[in-house]
Amino acid sequence: MNTPTKTQVYNLVILDKSGSMESIRTEAINGYNETLGSIKATQLKFLDTQEHFVSLAAFCDCGIDMIYDMTPIKDADKLTKEKYDPCCCTPLFDAIGKTVKTLKKKIADVEDAAVLVTIITDGYENSSKEWDGKAVSKLIEECKEEGWMFSFIGAGEDVVKTATTISITNTMVWENTSEGTEVMFSTENKARMRFCEDLDLQVCACDMAPTAAEKRDMFKKLADNYYKEEKEG
């Protein structure tokens, strides 16, 4: 029989902090802190089977600020206005490419890992210098083959089209108002909790502890329907 191990769950949030986010700065901070609380609640609920880590990458043209980087969820503090100060443009491709590639390299030797990448932006790519859409798409496809889950939360009418160009099918259209921001984070948190619940159910349903390869197949199936129940509800 295989020896049971805890699934290492890496929660990576890539959060736009370009100038247009200033109007909902407080709501974005409060929403992210709710997400943090949701991950902590998930950790407590599945303490015996999952171990959660959080990374928060806030990006604008000034650079990528890794506010948390693979931090154990118990050690992650709330986001504050001092740490999240919107300005300038939206290098979306650079933010995704750099943070995803770095995380992929850091956890390359972790056999039993689930990765949930959430990208939140109220604008479109307009200032990347190192990555383009084709390169980002290739990287995401590679990660999805390893069982990574990607979701794209964007404002505007072309969210699905934009996400599709970088190989992301789990999407949510977000209205960047106070009310819209609250709804968006609530929906995202429910989807994240359901993913972890479904993962736990599938692992517990196995007669023997699943191998890392079997768990990756589970991750892929769960990732395909990340927002499905929330949208149908």
Side-chain angles (χ1 to χ4, degrees), residues 46 193-203 222 229:
F46 304 113
M193 175 63 83
R194 183 171 57 81
F195 178 96
C196 293
E197 288 175 344
D198 289 349
L199 174 61
D200 188 71
L201 285 172
Q202 291 201 33
V203 171
L222 295 175
E229 289 187 13

Side-chain angles (χ1 to χ4, degrees), residues 12-163:
L12 169 59
V13 179
I14 303 173
L15 178 62
D16 187 349
K17 71 177 183 78
S18 59
S20 55
M21 292 289 288
E22 178 61 40
S23 63
I24 52 167
R25 181 183 184 188
T26 298
E27 290 80 2
I29 291 170
N30 291 341
Y32 174 77
N33 288 336
E34 289 178 9
T35 297
L36 199 65
S38 176
I39 299 171
K40 289 186 177 184
T42 303
Q43 175 67 92
L44 290 174
K45 185 173 183 178
F46 304 113
L47 193 60
D48 294 333
T49 58
Q50 299 174 14
E51 188 170 4
H52 284 258
F53 303 84
V54 62
S55 297
L56 173 59
F59 72 94
C60 66
D61 218 25
C62 298
I64 302 170
D65 185 6
M66 291 303 300
I67 297 173
Y68 305 111
D69 189 5
M70 294 174 59
T71 303
I73 189 60
K74 64 181 178 62
D75 297 328
D77 297 323
K78 289 185 176 181
L79 184 61
T80 64
K81 285 189 174 182
E82 289 72 28
K83 293 180 180 179
Y84 182 75
D85 187 12
C87 66
C88 57
C89 300
T90 311
L92 181 62
F93 293 156
D94 279 357
I96 299 171
K98 290 178 181 179
T99 55
V100 170
K101 183 177 180 180
T102 297
L103 180 59
K104 188 175 187 293
K105 183 176 180 180
K106 286 183 176 180
I107 66 171
D109 295 329
V110 181
E111 291 187 355
D112 188 5
V115 185
L116 291 84
V117 181
T118 304
I119 302 156
I120 303 172
T121 178
D122 76 332
Y124 299 103
E125 162 61 44
N126 59 27
S127 63
S128 289
K129 299 176 178 64
E130 298 179 37
W131 289 76
D132 59 20
K134 185 176 180 180
V136 170
S137 178
K138 183 176 184 294
L139 175 62
I140 289 177
E141 287 288 356
E142 292 173 358
C143 292
K144 287 167 66 175
E145 281 301 308
E146 297 175 13
W148 288 38
M149 195 291 301
F150 288 84
S151 63
F152 187 94
I153 302 172
E157 298 178 356
D158 296 329
V159 170
V160 174
K161 180 180 179 181
T162 301

